[in-house]
Structure formats: structure tokens, C-alpha cells
Amino acid sequence: SDQTTLHQAGATAGINLRDGRTRVTSIQAAGAGASEVSLYDQTAALIVPANLKAKYLFDTDGLEVYVPGSGILFKDGVTIVVVASAGATLTITGG
């Protein structure tokens, strides 16, 4: 299997986790008040709102999402923004 994980420790205003074609199949994040995880289809850390693919708002219970089917396709790369949460983990496949 070509499945692996990517992890972002702590909050970030935008960081590229992986370049190239990727499918995100699950997302987990630590809970904190007013948390947010946003995923963008781009390689640059400078956020372009038009590239937003998924946005999750959650609280102290945390976030655990399993994406059905083939997952969320990112053609250029995966850039993540984490607000308030202590970190997020993505399960991905390479293409």
C-alpha cells in the first residue's frame, strides 16, 4: 500500500506538507477551543483562498474524519492551516 501519514505539530498560518498529487483519506486533530483545520490544493505556504479544498471547525472534543471513497484529491500539493489545535495528522495515498 502507498498509504502514509503527514503530521503538523502545533498551530500554523500555512505550511506545505507535501508537493504533488495526493489523496487525503483521513484527518485527525487534537481538540482545543475554537480549533480549525483547513486544507489547500497548492504548494506555496502563502494561502490562496480559491485553493481551499476542506475546512473543519471543532472544539475540545477534537477532530476525527474518515473520507469515504478515494479521499480528497489534491492535484498540486497539500498545504495546511491549523488554528488553536496542538496539531493535525493526515492519512494520505500518493496519487
Side-chain angles (χ1 to χ4, degrees):
S1 169
D2 65 347
Q3 197 167 50
T4 189
T5 59
L6 302 173
H7 182 71
Q8 171 57 42
T12 178
I15 189 166
N16 178 254
L17 292 180
R18 180 180 165 113
D19 290 340
R21 188 176 171 93
T22 304
R23 290 184 183 273
V24 173
T25 57
S26 76
I27 305 156
Q28 296 173 314
S35 294
E36 175 185 321
V37 170
S38 300
L39 303 174
Y40 295 83
D41 188 356
Q42 63 184 48
T43 57
L46 180 62
I47 299 305
V48 178
N51 295 338
L52 180 66
K53 292 288 256 186
K55 183 175 186 173
Y56 299 93
L57 305 173
F58 55 100
D59 209 48
T60 56
D61 288 341
L63 176 69
E64 194 166 313
V65 175
Y66 296 96
V67 183
S70 298
I72 304 169
L73 175 62
F74 293 80
K75 293 180 181 178
D76 297 321
V78 179
T79 295
I80 190 169
V81 173
V82 179
V83 175
S85 175
T89 301
L90 310 178
T91 304
I92 64 161
T93 58

